[in-house]
Amino acid sequence: MIVTIDGVAASGKSSVSSGVARALGVPYVSSGLLYRAATLLAHEAGLSPHDPALVPHLEAQPLRFEPLAGGNRLWLGTRELTADVQSAAVDAGVSAVAARPELRAWVDRRLRALTPPFVAEGRDMGTAVFPHAQAKFYLTASARVRAGRRAAERPEAVDEIEAALILRDERDRAQSVPAPEAHVIDTGPLSLQGVIDTILAALPQGAAPARTS
Ligand SMILES: Nc1ncnc2c1ncn2[C@@H]1O[C@H](COP(=O)(O)OP(=O)(O)OP(=O)(O)O)[C@@H](O)[C@H]1O
Ligand SMILES: Nc1ccn([C@H]2C[C@H](O)[C@@H](COP(=O)(O)O)O2)c(=O)n1
């Protein structure tokens, strides 16, 4: 079974996917983390997103991706990259990397090599990468709501975060389209657990965990 959870930046994809994956007892897979890793490694190697040497460079790196239900982790050999790829600098550069078809193909190859069951989150999991997924969801919320949530975990001011989110939404628009059959959820009025419960309740029979009450 594959469940896809796509959505706009900071709409809650990772937190919600982790909660759904834990309830189902399966891993979740953050595709954004791979685009972030590519961005950080390109920057550290002094390669632009357009450089034809970038994909061969990435292929040569000892990059290891741990898609755990509790949270995805990323390693370069023994160096953990998980926190490094969540910086404002990576946020600012990642859309240019994600716009490159050869980089998208590099990420998609790594994702399709994973063995189901899992919950996959990102922008195009339900459309391009796993079009045959059994259940598809798409998360939204206003930029202000998303910025407010992010401000609780980052040092930047809420206005600055909101402006950066609006810019990233615009740059990611091409690949951030809900699948026609996706359940679209406005997370604005919902708690994190409320979103998780909405998704669990909408899963096809057999995929959802047994209800106790
Ligand atoms: N429904 C919700 N109610 C309140 N807070 C939420 C909700 N959903 C997510 N959050 C909080 O919003 C923040 C952003 O969530 P998260 O990192 O899961 O989003 P994301 O879509 O994966 O982000 P990104 O696109 O940057 O990877 C986190 O602090 C998370 O706890
Ligand atoms: N399937 C995906 C996942 C991510 N991206 C791009 C767009 C985002 O700006 C960036 C980081 O993702 P996030 O951590 O915010 O989920 O990666 C994409 O194009 N396709």
Side-chain angles (χ1 to χ4, degrees):
M1 178 210 43
I2 298 177
V3 175
T4 60
I5 302 182
D6 290 306
V8 291
S11 55
K13 301 180 299 294
S14 314
S15 324
V16 169
S17 297
S18 175
V20 170
R22 273 191 280 203
L24 297 177
V26 302
Y28 93 92
V29 177
S30 166
S31 56
L33 215 52
L34 290 171
Y35 288 102
R36 288 173 178 277
T39 306
L40 179 72
L41 296 179
H43 179 74
E44 290 185 349
L47 294 171
S48 98
H50 302 267
D51 197 317
L54 179 53
V55 171
H57 174 71
L58 295 174
E59 300 276 16
Q61 301 304 304
L63 187 66
R64 193 161 51 83
F65 176 51
E66 280 185 330
L68 308 172
N72 281 205
R73 295 176 75 177
L74 206 54
W75 301 85
L76 188 68
T78 55
R79 173 186 166 202
E80 181 160 16
L81 300 182
T82 316
D84 296 352
V85 300
Q86 296 297 344
S87 68
V90 170
D91 275 1
V94 66
S95 300
V97 168
R100 301 296 308 164
E102 66 278 17
L103 265 299
R104 301 201 72 76
W106 174 77
V107 169
D108 294 355
R109 275 198 299 280
R110 296 191 72 120
L111 295 172
R112 291 191 183 118
L114 299 169
T115 306
F118 52 75
V119 176
E121 64 96 345
R123 300 296 191 291
D124 59 348
M125 298 297 97
T127 49
V129 185
F130 301 115
H132 304 298
Q134 283 79 358
K136 302 180 183 183
F137 299 88
Y138 191 92
L139 307 185
T140 66
S142 72
R144 194 64 186 178
V145 164
R146 290 180 280 140
R149 291 172 181 166
R150 269 275 178 263
E153 56 184 17
R154 289 197 180 179
E156 294 90 15
V158 68
D159 288 342
E160 191 187 336
I161 296 174
E162 185 182 12
L165 282 176
I166 290 170
L167 192 62
R168 197 145 64 93
D169 285 351
E170 191 53 43
R171 290 177 175 161
D172 292 335
R173 196 175 296 284
Q175 63 265 12
S176 294
V177 179
E181 67 275 36
H183 302 257
V184 178
I185 302 172
D186 177 4
T187 73
L190 297 171
S191 68
L192 183 53
Q193 191 58 47
V195 182
I196 294 167
D197 290 343
T198 302
I199 290 179
L200 292 174
L203 288 177
Q205 236 175 2
R211 292 201 176 82
T212 50
S213 57

